[in-house]
Amino acid sequence: MDYISTRGDAPVIDFEHAATCGLATDGGLYVPASWPKFSHDEIASLKGSSYTKVAEKVIARFVGDSISSEELKQLIEFAYADFDDPQIAPVRELREGLYLLELFHGPTLSFKDYALQFLGRFMDWSLQRNNHRLTVVGATSGDTGSAAISAIGGSSAIELYMLHPFQRVSDMQRRQMTTNQDQNIHNYAVDGTFDDCQAMVKDIFNDTEVRARRSLGAVNSINWGRIAAQVVYYFYAAVQLGSPETAVSFAVPTGNFGNVFAGYTANRMGLPIERIVVCSNENDILTRFFETGVMKKQGVRQTVTPSMDIEVSSNFERILFDLLERDGQQVTKLMRKLRENGQFEVGPDTLQRARGQFDAVRVDQQETCEVIAHLYSETGTIIDPHSAVALSAADHFDAVSSSPLVVISTAHPAKFPETIKRSVGTDVLIPSQLARLLDMPERYRRISNNTNELKKLMFAA
Ligand SMILES: *Cc1c(COP(=O)(O)O)cnc(C)c1O
């Protein structure tokens, strides 16, 4: 399977490369050169299959022949072996026609585990067999860091540098990262904001000396391997609810658009999806785009759903590429406008096409907390704030949809205890995966907001 850049001016690469690199050399993101297809019968044959079986069939289409099916099977079984629910991604009915897809049963209790537990193992396998080593540098405001550390800790082929803003992630989120004791994991707490951390990562990727001495990789959702692994749960949930005979809709709490893009990919592969609802908090750049056709930066506001507090969704470039009929030059032009003027606009036909694929809903914080409280009083179920944004958006949307609607639940509520307490008045039960961290020693280094200091530490390690 070949992968091409959304800006049309980078080498074509295979899955093994697409699953380790960050940006393409032209600044674009890699996407499959053509969409792999599942026929009606092939989708029907997934019915009753376990999560790992569906994963084998779906991921195989992206990997092509770079790995044998036996080895892929092993990697996948290993990746999901420690999940705390036998179904791995259970679908629960909330009321008739409305379902919750629980993606918080991995080791760090957010949906990032579903991609990273696979990707970490695949990267390790690929590096070992090619006798390569990789230096992964990333910035996190919470969930990505812990999921990456859990997936990559102990790898002998990967050195992981994870930056988080000092005292700006929650106590539990920090402990999920800093209690790891593997020698290949380097946790740095930066005196600055998440944006400062991200800027340092960018500097490192652009630094010629670092690039000459280290082979750099990324684990954020610009890495295609993450998207490939996320396509799996769309198939897994949809066949349980009647696909391929029935089309299913999904409501997705959205930040960098990776999760939504995985749903879009499943649809391109042949899975009948009626609507994908792009759910945002007050950081509503995507909602405004789908309303007006204008993508305009407005700065970031802090909310009770930190993983959705974004200024620009990096994966949106992938959908833009398709909306513009895969014209890399057009994408390059629009992305340059966004960088230079803080905005771009698409024409009415493109906007029409975008609306044909997606609905977009904005949910404010008060509504989010009310939805958590309401579901709790009706059913006794507590959901996390990100999932609540999607549930609330689903309520807006419910009236116009006849197909089953699946709300994607991206985190365990225990990751956000303050908001839960404020919404429902009681403490959420802390699962053992988190409770045990409270007694474990932490290991991290505080560093200044200075890329040279980071560089020195990287070369000293
Ligand atoms: C990362 C994250 C999101 C946003 O997902 P994207 O793929 O970036 O859109 C939503 N909810 C939670 C809990 C997350 O960790």
Side-chain angles (χ1 to χ4, degrees), residues 110-112 143-144 221 226 230 252-260 307-308 315 384 386 410-411 416:
S110 89
F111 89 106
K112 306 283 196 294
D143 295 336
T144 299
S221 57
R226 269 183 66 171
Q230 288 175 224
V252 189
T254 300
N256 267 323
F257 211 76
N259 204 356
V260 169
S307 297
M308 299 161 71
N315 273 288
D384 106 283
H386 302 79
T410 47
F416 306 94

Side-chain angles (χ1 to χ4, degrees), residues 107-110 140-147 149-150 164-165 167-180 187 306 411-418 427-442 444:
T108 72
L109 308 180
S110 89
T140 184
S141 55
D143 295 336
T144 299
S146 55
I149 287 166
S150 164
H164 72 266
Q167 288 183 341
R168 286 174 199 249
V169 300
S170 78
D171 188 61
M172 217 37 125
Q173 285 180 318
R174 187 193 67 248
R175 284 175 192 276
Q176 282 190 297
M177 296 189 276
T178 58
T179 50
N180 179 289
N187 269 302
H412 191 287
K415 292 195 91 163
F416 306 94
E418 298 84 10
D427 285 315
V428 55
L429 221 63
I430 305 294
S432 60
Q433 294 102 308
L434 293 182
R436 67 187 180 86
L437 303 180
L438 296 171
D439 304 322
M440 286 168 65
E442 293 187 68
Y444 67 95

